[in-house]
Amino acid sequence: FDDVYRIFLVDTPIGPYFEEYLKEADREKDEMARAGIETSQVGGILTKQDLEIMKATLKKAWLEDFYAFCQSQGGTTAEVMGHMLKMEADFRVLLVTLNALNTDLSTETKLQDRNALYPSFGYLYPEGTKELRKVWNETTVRAALEPYAKYLQLFDQVKQFYEAEGSSDRAAQGFQSIEDLIYAENVHMYEMAFEQQYHFGVFYAWVKLREQEIRNIRWIASMVILNTKDHIDNTIVPIFQPRL
C-alpha cells in the first residue's frame, strides 16, 4: 500500500480526489481528517472499502471538478463541454440509481451511501436528483423521471432488465441494460460536438469516440470467440453512421 499511496496520492492528477475520498472514508476519526492521511493508514482504509463505490466516488469528484474547469473557459468550449458533462452527470445518476435497485444500496439504511454518488450538477440537478434520492424500486424511479421524457424513455426501455426476479436470465435473452443505452446516447452526443467550431470539446469527444471504438472491437472479438457472430450488430455501437 506504500506504492498505492505514492502512485495515487503523490504522482498522478487524481491525487486530490483520492485523498479526499480517503478522508471521507475515515471521517469518523476527526483528528485524521484534519491532519491528513498517513502512508501507514492507507492500507487499513482501502481494505474496508467497496471497489465499485470507490470508483463511483472518484468519478463523481472528477466530473464536478472538470465541469467547473470547463465553465471557467467560457465561450463555445463552455457551452459544448457543459452540455456533454451535464449529460454524463445525468447518465451517472441513472446508472447509480438503477444498478442499486434490488441491492443493499436501495435499503433505507444505505440510501445515503447511494445518494452520495450523485454529481451536484446536470440537467437533473437539483429537482430531479432530489426526487431520485428518495427512490427504492422501479415504480418510484419511474415516478421521479416522469418530468424528464428522454430519461423516462430510457428507463422504460431497460426496466425489464432490472426487475427483481431473474435479471441474469433476462440479460441472456437480450434485454438491454442502462449501460448499453448510455453508450449509444453518448456516441450521438459526441458526434454532435463536431458540428460547432472553435472550441476544445472536439478533443474530448474524439477521445470518447475512440474509447467506444475500442469497446466495439472487444465486443466483436468476444462474439467471435463465443461463436455468436449473428449478435455482433446488436452489440456494437456504430460511430458516425451515414445521415440520410
Side-chain angles (χ1 to χ4, degrees):
F1 286 106
D2 290 349
D3 290 339
V4 171
Y5 183 90
R6 176 180 56 79
I7 292 172
F8 291 108
L9 296 186
V10 179
D11 294 342
T12 69
I14 69 170
Y17 312 127
F18 211 91
E19 186 171 11
E20 286 302 316
Y21 172 77
L22 290 175
K23 289 180 181 179
E24 181 65 19
D26 204 43
R27 61 185 178 274
E28 293 181 359
K29 299 181 180 179
D30 295 336
E31 297 81 4
M32 181 181 295
R34 288 194 295 268
I37 303 297
E38 298 295 334
T39 305
S40 59
Q41 298 164 334
V42 173
I45 298 173
L46 292 181
T47 53
K48 301 175 184 177
Q49 304 307 310
D50 183 280
L51 181 59
E52 292 303 317
I53 292 180
M54 183 189 302
K55 287 166 59 179
T57 304
L58 294 173
K59 178 71 173 180
K60 171 203 169 187
W62 174 79
L63 269 176
E64 292 173 346
D65 197 24
F66 190 34
Y67 176 76
F69 170 77
C70 291
Q71 291 304 294
S72 70
Q73 304 307 301
T76 308
T77 294
E79 177 187 347
V80 174
M81 284 300 303
H83 170 67
M84 289 192 290
L85 293 178
K86 281 183 177 180
M87 292 294 292
E88 286 192 34
D90 288 352
F91 288 151
R92 179 145 291 275
V93 170
L94 295 178
L95 189 66
V96 169
T97 302
L98 295 184
N99 284 339
L101 292 177
N102 308 314
T103 70
D104 290 342
L105 287 177
S106 284
T107 60
E108 186 175 354
T109 56
K110 291 288 187 178
L111 280 181
Q112 186 174 357
D113 293 338
R114 183 201 66 185
N115 295 342
L117 303 177
Y118 292 168
S120 59
F121 72 98
Y123 293 111
L124 283 173
Y125 184 83
E127 290 85 2
T129 305
K130 178 181 178 181
E131 294 302 316
L132 286 169
R133 289 177 183 274
K134 308 173 187 176
V135 306
W136 70 90
N137 59 20
E138 291 86 351
T139 303
T140 53
V141 171
R142 196 179 196 288
L145 292 176
E146 280 187 352
Y148 306 92
K150 180 181 180 66
Y151 300 142
L152 181 61
Q153 182 182 13
L154 291 179
F155 174 71
D156 286 339
Q157 289 180 257
V158 302
K159 62 182 179 182
Q160 289 178 302
F161 185 91
Y162 295 96
E163 289 179 354
E165 299 294 332
S167 293
S168 58
D169 293 335
R170 290 183 174 90
Q173 293 172 12
F175 288 105
Q176 290 183 307
S177 69
I178 189 63
E179 288 95 334
D180 298 324
L181 298 187
I182 286 176
Y183 286 142
E185 291 289 333
N186 279 341
V187 163
H188 177 69
M189 178 175 67
Y190 298 138
E191 289 174 351
M192 296 304 294
F194 291 85
E195 296 295 320
Q196 297 197 52
Q197 299 178 340
Y198 305 113
H199 64 90
F200 292 109
V202 292
F203 298 104
Y204 182 78
W206 182 85
V207 170
K208 289 295 186 178
L209 289 173
R210 292 291 286 181
E211 289 179 355
Q212 182 59 51
E213 189 175 14
I214 292 170
R215 279 192 291 268
N216 284 346
I217 293 172
R218 287 177 176 170
W219 289 338
I220 291 172
S222 297
M223 293 299 102
V224 172
I225 292 173
L226 296 173
N227 197 27
T228 54
K229 299 179 184 179
D230 294 340
H231 297 292
I232 288 178
D233 290 338
N234 299 328
T235 306
I236 64 171
V237 180
I239 299 173
F240 284 116
Q241 293 188 89
R243 299 177 185 177
L244 301 179

